[in-house]
Amino acid sequence: MGKLSVELCGIPLDNPIIPASGTFGYGYEFAELYDINCLGTFSFKGTTLHPRFGNPTPRIAECTAGMINAVGLQNPGVDAVIAEELPKLAKVFHKPVMANVSGFSVEEYAETCKKLDELSQVGWLEVNVSCPNVHGGGMSFGVDPVAAASVVKAVKAVTTKPVIVKLSPNVTDIVAIAKACEDAGADGISLINTLLGMRIDLRTRKPIIANKMGGFSGPAIFPVALRMVYQVAHAVSIPVIGMGGVQSSEDVIEMMLAGATAVEVGTANLIDPFACKKIIDDLPRVMQRYHIASLADIIKGVD
Amino acid sequence: MKQCIFTIEKNIALTESVFEMRLLGDTSAFSRPGQFLNIRLEGLFLRRPISVCDYDENGLTIVYKVVGMGTAQLSRMHPGETLDLLTGLGNGYDTAKCGDHALLLGGGVGVPPLYGLCKTLIAEGKQVSVVLGFNTKEEVFYENEFRALGADVTVTTVDGLYGIKGFVTDALPERYDYFFTCGPEPMLKAVDKATATSGQFSFEERMGCGFGACMGCSCKTVTGFKRICKDGPVLEKEEILWES
Ligand SMILES: Cc1cc2nc3c(=O)[nH]c(=O)nc-3n(C[C@H](O)[C@H](O)[C@H](O)COP(=O)(O)OP(=O)(O)OC[C@H]3O[C@@H](n4cnc5c(N)ncnc54)[C@H](O)[C@@H]3O)c2cc1C
Ligand SMILES: Cc1cc2nc3c(=O)[nH]c(=O)nc-3n(C[C@H](O)[C@H](O)[C@H](O)COP(=O)(O)O)c2cc1C
Ligand code: FES
């Protein structure tokens, strides 16, 4: 094993760097810029059973050290992803990819995951439970341990691939949700998704985002994300993927010390399209500086 | 798309709030007029998208209006300072669709991308009529620059103190084969109603990335969902679904 390599739910990664869902499309915009096979893997755009346009625009707002998005899971639907996006991706990316899945009912999650389970190109299923449950009064699956566990159980029943549950930070007790997912059979946890945020345009005195609120991401959320990764990694025994505001190889090491086995990089890709490649190239320098022989050794290095 | 460092050669005021900046650097990612770049600015999180007004092998020109923090910061920069740009963004205008007589309709800071387009059309041997619309006499810019390219230029102002009083749609020529337009959305809607031929519209939207990765800028069209930054900013008249 190389000094950057780690293992995620039984699948080896050359390095722990994973572009986060929604900030890397289906990969090929970035493949025009650099060989994306240098990545550990990447998590593709949140995919749902049916095609979705998402929310009305404007759906982006700038913040100090971050941004708000209210894209609303725009994607062509799982059938088109399988028929069109993934064959295109196969030409430029030769590693197992992480399939990010969203749904609005337990059945929808299961049906989408079942379709993706059949593809050898997919290594892991990353199940985003931050979506509203249409049968549960629109409350997010991710805020209720019982609802989150029901999604995990339904998905586990239809796939043999590792199921990683992606948690919402908009909860009072992140550990309770993580534990419920572990108990329901999850193979890993990834966190954090975006924090609910808002901006107002002083000129129009209206919210900048058409949907009023959206998900806050970027370097401003890093300390919150790190804290949650630390809490969850010390409470469960399945691997944790850390994300939220990661921009540098120092941030990656900090996330791993807190308990992350791998690290996703989201918003940074939008500002600097080479962000992930730069972090991967820079990791050996930072490891040397902090006397780290192998990244796998530092996971959960902080008590 | 490329990520490149450009050096400011010139940054001058054209009007009280509109500036023209010439930047030197690698322009090889640009292939059409109407494409844009995305500027990284110190201390601001998101990049700022600005249309390319004109480009050659050595550099490019942008024309921008100061409306907020980012454009204000840009206006205070000096020759010799550098900027980190994403270049070659968007589809740009497709001049192959245009007949012999093109009509260009620009409103405010929608005017700049039409300059490079005008140059291209004239190099292709086409006759070009340009209507430039501004709010007031003080805001008028680039009238002579278009004329110097060989275009037939009309200016409209809302205050009526210069050129024809009214909007660009009040000064349409009688004959043209095809049109290209860029400006604020109410103007684009008016152009859609006032024109009889086919044409191309350039749109704006708030952007997360500017290169197709985040889905922040999408719109619905007759031919499906399109990202303004990657599948646009230029859309054809027939594919646009106007919101009421
Ligand atoms: C494809 C494209 C081409 C453009 N070309 C030009 C041009 O040639 N000349 C010119 O003067 N302006 C142009 N604009 C508009 C320009 O991007 C905005 O005026 C600029 O981003 C404002 O930044 P600010 O920091 O000064 O304003 P602020 O209001 O402080 O900006 C806050 C945030 O809102 C965004 N924003 C604000 N207004 C707009 C807008 N109209 N469109 C998109 N995002 C906006 C900013 O990018 C930033 O993320 C273009 C926009 C797009 C999308
Ligand atoms: C524009 C945008 C779109 C996103 N779309 C998704 C998505 O489809 N599914 C998902 O699980 N997370 C999505 N996210 C959340 C990110 O994957 C990530 O969890 C979050 O942004 C925090 O990391 P960051 O600060 O590095 O961006 C999106 C984030 C952004 C900025
Ligand atoms: S701004 Fe990111 S896809 Fe257009």
Side-chain angles (χ1 to χ4, degrees), chain A residues 57 59 62 74 203 271, chain B residues 46-48 67 205 218:
Chain A
T57 55
R59 46 196 196 186
E62 187 181 53
Q74 180 181 346
R203 284 167 285 210
I271 312 305
Chain B
L46 295 178
R47 289 174 182 265
R48 299 301 192 261
V67 297
E205 191 47 82
S218 298

